[in-house]
Amino acid sequence: MTDIKSYVNQNKERFLNELFSLLKIPSISADKAYKTDILKTADFVKESLLKAGCSLAEVCETPGNPIVYGEKIIDVNLPTILVYGHYDVQPADPINLWDSPPFEPVIKPTDIHPDGAIFARGACDDKGQMYMHVKALEYMTATNNLTCNVKFMIEGEEEVGSPSLEWYVKRNQEKLANDVILISDTGMISNQQPSITTGLRGLSYLEVEVTGPNRDLHSGLYGGAVANPINILIKMIASLHDENNHITIPGFYDNIKIFTDAERTEMEKAPFSLDAYKKALAIDDVDGEVGYSTNERSSIRPTLDVNGIWGGYTGEGAKTVIASKAYAKISMRLVVGQDNQVISELFEKHFKSIAPKSVTIKVTNLHGGMAYEMPTDNIGYQAAAKALQESFGVPSIPQYSGGSIPIVALFENELKSKSILMGFGLNSDAIHSPNEHFGVFNFLKGIETIPLFYKYYAKLFKES
Ligand code: BES
Ligand code: MN
Ligand code: MN
């Protein structure tokens, strides 16, 4: 019987070629112009599931982009793993900052990935990571090594807040019934230090509109006498943090999870170099909430950030104008204890309360979700830890991540099962940025590790 390492070795060129075909389709969910490519990608995923051994695979219609479902049920007495991933990707812009075209994948070595990394939009987030599961299934069915039933649910709207997933999950409870959910859409500490994500932040994403006068005005004739919405917006935004970088919205920190000194000391043991961090980002210093480390600031503490701000004249040269309106997109990363809906309401109430009478404020809620915390005392976590230990040769460590996958909380509520976040990306892989990439090592290591998860999960399930 072929072991997984030799199977991967014998087939890696083909695996990479297949992934390249997937990466070439620009399945950008944020832009309706790519709808045909979205449908093409869904079809590609369906076909690849069938080729990998699923006995059933289908493209399921939703009010938005389709969800690809596949399954291979071998024995009702065995546990069922539900694999979740997403086939949609972020927009590629700013396109001129890519060293190679975002939808023409190439392999190039980097300092962190000396064996080469696949450069393409979606290489790491999440096509490359999702496809590891498809290839792991291929190995397990081809070599008769499948130890669990498996279901796949691959969606096409994750990058826009998964608006149709709840609709789908609520209508397909039985079909999606499972013992554990396995997701590779996060990262690990380094290629030498595997980790399992035990926390994700929640999110509240809003757009604000500040309106002053009913039309754009000559900034000489009116300047100084009427409110300038842009001036006012930036003042209001600046006031949302105090001198210690605490967020000033009343009630914002109520009920949030506070970590004990012992827990914080434990977390600080994870390998991290502040110098390397600064160097990689070309910054002389870091910034953030007083009293917390860089790792804490970017994982267990809530944040408020402006993602974009616009208004007035931004074309070439100078135009003297006081704009009628100013806008900003604002996201808040949330932690355990914060409800995204409550936080959005607190934001709106506070933002309106600090606005001068000379302007009117409109706040639109774009999307959001709750933070998630994964306990380690369950067989899913333990199976992942054993699998990583075996394939990397060193013990993995639990780690809170700063990113968000809002649907994980929905899965827990609707499907009553835990999600195991066994991701193989690195923070430096530039997801959502120009030159996104995914290590060839990481891609192949993921394919090697996943069957071990199945093996240990089946074993622990039987013993429990
Ligand atoms: N895969 C990411 C989330 C992620 C990446 C979590 C790395 C942990 C480590 C996901 O595709 C994503 O980008 N999520 C969005 C939120 C979503 C609602 C648009 C995010 O975190 O900004
Ligand atoms: Mn993702
Ligand atoms: Mn993403």
Side-chain angles (χ1 to χ4, degrees):
M1 197 167 53
T2 334
D3 69 285
I4 179 68
K5 266 194 177 10
S6 27
Y7 190 86
V8 167
N9 230 343
Q10 282 155 23
N11 292 285
K12 63 182 178 206
E13 293 306 321
R14 176 172 59 83
F15 289 175
L16 285 165
N17 280 330
E18 290 172 10
L19 176 59
F20 273 35
S21 305
L22 176 59
L23 291 169
K24 280 179 187 162
I25 323 175
S27 49
I28 301 168
S29 49
D31 188 342
K32 282 181 191 62
Y34 294 90
K35 186 76 186 190
T36 326
D37 294 301
I38 284 279
L39 300 178
K40 245 197 230 169
T41 312
D43 219 58
F44 184 104
V45 173
K46 179 195 120 179
E47 290 303 325
S48 65
L49 284 172
L50 288 173
K51 275 184 229 150
C54 277
S55 44
L56 177 150
E58 56 195 14
V59 173
C60 308
E61 296 301 320
T62 75
N65 294 339
I67 289 170
V68 183
Y69 175 81
E71 65 175 35
K72 181 154 180 84
I73 309 296
I74 48 172
D75 181 347
V76 290
N77 297 312
L78 289 175
T80 301
I81 296 174
L82 174 66
V83 176
Y84 164 83
H86 61 94
Y87 67 79
D88 65 318
V89 301
Q90 285 276 325
D93 60 276
I95 227 144
N96 58 321
L97 295 183
W98 284 76
D99 296 329
S100 56
F103 298 104
E104 290 171 31
V106 287
I107 294 177
K108 284 180 294 190
T110 72
D111 288 347
I112 294 179
H113 298 293
D115 301 338
I118 307 147
F119 282 79
R121 172 56 85 229
C124 177
D125 185 10
D126 182 39
K127 284 173 170 170
Q129 297 215 64
M130 177 268 287
Y131 205 65
M132 299 179 317
H133 287 267
V134 181
K135 293 299 100 179
L137 174 68
E138 176 194 304
Y139 160 75
M140 291 185 285
T141 52
T143 60
N144 247 316
N145 269 317
L146 189 59
T147 52
C148 300
N149 300 310
V150 56
K151 296 176 178 178
F152 279 80
M153 173 171 60
I154 311 298
E155 73 154 313
E157 295 180 320
E158 197 279 340
E159 299 294 6
V160 290
S162 305
S164 309
L165 200 66
E166 184 166 0
W167 179 94
Y168 181 79
V169 170
K170 285 196 161 139
R171 276 164 186 75
N172 293 282
Q173 301 262 9
E174 205 136 304
K175 182 170 173 170
L176 299 171
N178 65 81
D179 294 287
V180 68
I181 300 170
L182 183 60
I183 305 177
S184 297
D185 192 22
T186 52
M188 55 182 190
I189 291 175
S190 74
N191 285 357
Q192 293 72 42
Q193 179 56 71
S195 55
I196 301 170
T197 301
T198 48
L200 289 167
R201 285 196 283 197
L203 185 65
S204 164
Y205 202 125
L206 310 151
E207 182 170 322
V208 299
E209 181 193 88
V210 180
T211 308
N214 61 355
R215 59 183 170 89
D216 288 9
L217 301 172
H218 188 288
S219 65
L221 299 181
Y222 290 93
V226 296
N228 179 330
I230 302 176
N231 291 3
I232 288 182
L233 175 61
I234 57 179
K235 242 199 230 172
M236 288 170 70
I237 286 171
S239 79
L240 296 175
H241 290 95
D242 70 12
E243 67 284 3
N244 292 320
N245 269 319
H246 289 300
I247 294 153
T248 56
I249 301 169
F252 186 80
Y253 293 98
D254 288 1
N255 313 316
I256 69 166
K257 173 169 172 160
I258 304 294
F259 288 77
T260 64
D261 286 347
E263 286 170 322
R264 293 177 66 184
T265 310
E266 192 55 39
M267 283 192 274
E268 286 308 306
K269 287 186 189 156
F272 176 73
S273 156
L274 189 59
D275 281 335
Y277 185 86
K278 290 192 281 195
K279 200 168 160 231
L281 301 176
I283 48 176
D284 291 330
D285 206 356
V286 291
D287 191 26
E289 191 180 5
V290 170
Y292 294 92
S293 70
T294 293
N295 268 331
E296 290 174 326
R297 288 168 177 169
S298 61
S299 62
I300 59 164
R301 296 296 296 169
T303 63
L304 184 152
D305 277 295
V306 178
N307 295 248
I309 181 163
W310 70 103
Y313 183 68
T314 55
E316 205 182 308
K319 179 189 179 196
T320 48
V321 66
I322 290 176
S324 162
K325 287 177 190 288
Y327 303 85
K329 295 204 188 262
I330 296 176
S331 69
M332 290 169 280
R333 294 281 169 176
L334 310 177
V335 299
V336 172
Q338 288 176 306
D339 180 311
N340 63 292
Q341 239 132 10
V342 172
I343 293 292
S344 298
E345 283 160 23
L346 289 178
F347 176 94
E348 180 166 357
K349 198 169 144 223
H350 176 66
F351 208 66
K352 286 183 170 160
S353 81
I354 61 173
K357 259 185 147 158
S358 51
V359 296
T360 53
I361 304 289
K362 193 172 128 194
V363 177
T364 313
N365 204 344
L366 296 181
H367 63 67
M370 305 275 271
Y372 184 73
E373 198 172 46
M374 227 276 301
T376 54
D377 59 351
N378 60 82
I379 62 168
Y381 182 87
Q382 285 149 12
K386 280 175 179 289
L388 288 167
Q389 156 97 53
E390 185 171 329
S391 79
F392 284 81
V394 290
S396 67
I397 49 183
Q399 197 202 23
Y400 281 81
S401 171
S404 308
I405 312 180
I407 41 71
V408 171
L410 169 84
F411 292 160
E412 174 125 357
N413 294 334
E414 296 293 330
L415 301 174
K416 314 275 177 252
S417 42
K418 297 269 172 247
S419 292
I420 308 302
L421 301 162
M422 189 170 75
F424 293 88
L426 300 180
N427 276 355
S428 54
D429 285 345
I431 63 170
H432 294 205
S433 304
N435 302 315
E436 174 177 354
H437 55 280
F438 188 37
V440 173
F441 167 86
N442 302 65
F443 176 61
L444 301 176
K445 206 65 172 170
I447 302 173
E448 275 175 40
T449 309
I450 291 162
L452 296 170
F453 177 88
Y454 283 58
K455 177 179 99 178
Y456 287 117
Y457 191 80
K459 187 162 170 273
L460 293 169
F461 184 86
K462 206 169 157 192
E463 289 165 9
S464 69

